[in-house]
Amino acid sequence: MLDVPELPEVETVRRGLDARLVGRTFAGVEVGRERTVRRTSRQALIDGLTGATVLDTRRRGKYLLLGLDTGDDVMIHLRMSGRVLLHHPSEPRPAHTHVAALLAGAPELELRFVDPRTFGEVVVFDPVNVAVELPDLARLGVDPITDGMDRSLLRHIVLGRRRQLKALLLDQHVIAGIGNIYCDEILHAARVRPDRLSDTLTGQEITRLHAQIHRVLNEAIDAGGSTLADTQYVDVEGNGGQFQLSHRVYDRAGERCLTCTKARITRVVHAGRSTCFCPRCQR
Ligand SMILES: [Zn+2]
């Protein structure tokens, strides 16, 4: 099972870039695999980045964005195995480096997009035309961290639909950024079953779900995200996250629940996605 980097991992990468990239100008760009720039072209990325200065960094869901002084934005999506690394240009490029962008000035720095499975993307686009150029980005739902989703909005989201909670929380068009790992952890902490229908939640359960979405995501960001044995996720310095040490249900099928210490974690597979939950803690 390979779960993509989710909101906390992308936010960790964003913070690493923000600290070292804002105010710097791209001096030169090399693009290897065409697949990384499949929505546009090698030349479009080279033309869009060269000479452009980074004004800010943003994130929506699992999408990383760099604002440029040209008016364009850069969108980076890590998908399954993408890494964004900041290296000294003299350091050997890792295998599967598909984009290498040199930054002018001191200290010398090269931004490298490394992606063995090549599902990731780097795109320069005009934010005015986002609906045409990146419709998936334009259609994202509320980001719980960036948009500060309050309880009344979550209440509206869950009661206004009749969907299983797991599927609802994973739907990027409704809430952006939550994937398989954090969905399972949030639902366990909120003590609701993943197959509960959203419009059956009580007021107390909505309050718990709201609190746990924020707590789990923020604690995971503070821990630098989760790095699993089977994923490629690291921060811009190449370090793994620590939040996997705090997982209570994800990837713990058959093990005893750490919360109730009685039941064993159950794993079910639905639509190709694996879900782990405690049948005793979650109702
Ligand atoms: Zn339990």
Side-chain angles (χ1 to χ4, degrees):
M1 179 169 48
L2 191 68
D3 286 309
V4 298
E6 305 180 22
L7 186 156
E9 290 76 34
V10 180
E11 178 64 16
T12 302
V13 171
R14 185 198 69 77
R15 291 182 182 189
L17 291 180
D18 196 79
R20 296 174 66 189
L21 220 54
V22 170
R24 303 284 300 253
T25 301
F26 290 107
V29 181
E30 293 172 49
V31 182
R33 280 291 291 267
E34 189 104 50
R35 195 166 139 81
T36 302
V37 292
R38 58 192 173 273
R39 289 206 221 207
T40 54
S41 66
R42 280 196 186 91
Q43 201 57 46
L45 188 69
I46 292 166
D47 293 345
L49 285 183
T50 306
T53 300
V54 179
L55 296 183
D56 61 15
T57 68
R58 281 163 277 132
R59 182 192 51 72
R60 280 203 66 74
K62 303 170 190 172
Y63 291 73
L64 182 61
L65 300 167
L66 308 179
L68 303 177
D69 67 343
T70 56
D72 285 342
D73 278 352
V74 185
M75 184 280 281
I76 302 175
H77 203 305
L78 305 176
R79 293 270 149 67
M80 286 192 178
S81 62
R83 296 175 169 193
V84 178
L85 300 168
L86 290 174
H87 285 159
H88 191 275
S90 67
E91 282 182 67
R93 288 179 187 162
H96 311 290
T97 298
H98 303 312
V99 176
L102 186 68
L103 292 145
E108 283 190 292
L109 211 54
E110 192 169 74
L111 182 149
R112 293 165 174 177
F113 185 74
V114 179
D115 188 12
R117 293 174 64 116
T118 69
F119 290 109
E121 287 188 84
V122 183
V123 179
V124 174
F125 70 101
D126 181 350
V128 172
N129 296 326
V130 64
V132 176
E133 295 186 36
L134 291 173
D136 43 328
L137 174 61
R139 290 180 60 213
L140 283 182
V142 60
D143 184 296
I145 301 298
T146 307
D147 302 325
M149 179 179 69
D150 64 15
R151 184 190 179 281
S152 70
L153 177 56
L154 181 65
R155 181 178 179 278
H156 177 77
I157 287 170
V158 297
L159 297 185
R161 293 168 174 81
R162 188 173 183 80
R163 292 179 64 187
Q164 293 192 352
L165 282 178
K166 172 93 184 206
L168 183 60
L169 290 189
L170 288 181
D171 187 340
Q172 302 299 303
H173 299 140
V174 180
I175 298 175
I178 298 173
N180 218 29
I181 298 171
Y182 297 103
C183 190
D184 284 4
E185 294 299 322
I186 287 165
L187 291 174
H188 181 258
R191 310 204 307 271
V192 284
R193 284 176 61 103
D195 57 357
R196 270 284 292 281
L197 290 173
S198 57
D199 63 353
T200 68
L201 288 194
T202 65
Q204 276 190 343
E205 287 171 332
I206 293 169
T207 298
R208 289 208 300 267
L209 183 60
H210 176 255
Q212 295 305 331
I213 288 172
H214 286 278
R215 185 192 64 80
V216 169
L217 293 178
N218 280 309
E219 285 187 8
I221 292 168
D222 289 345
S226 301
T227 297
L228 308 174
D230 60 356
T231 68
Q232 306 277 338
Y233 163 72
V234 291
D235 68 13
V236 298
E237 316 283 348
N239 301 313
Q242 295 297 317
F243 194 71
Q244 67 281 3
L245 303 174
S246 301
H247 291 174
R248 298 182 83 81
V249 283
Y250 179 81
D251 207 21
R252 295 194 66 247
E255 296 178 46
R256 212 169 282 282
C257 174
L258 295 168
T259 302
C260 66
T261 70
K262 294 188 167 61
R264 290 192 185 276
I265 302 302
T266 298
R267 176 172 178 265
V268 294
V269 178
H270 182 70
R273 302 302 296 270
S274 153
T275 294
C276 294
F277 69 99
C278 173
R280 184 182 171 97
C281 292
Q282 294 171 251
R283 300 297 168 95

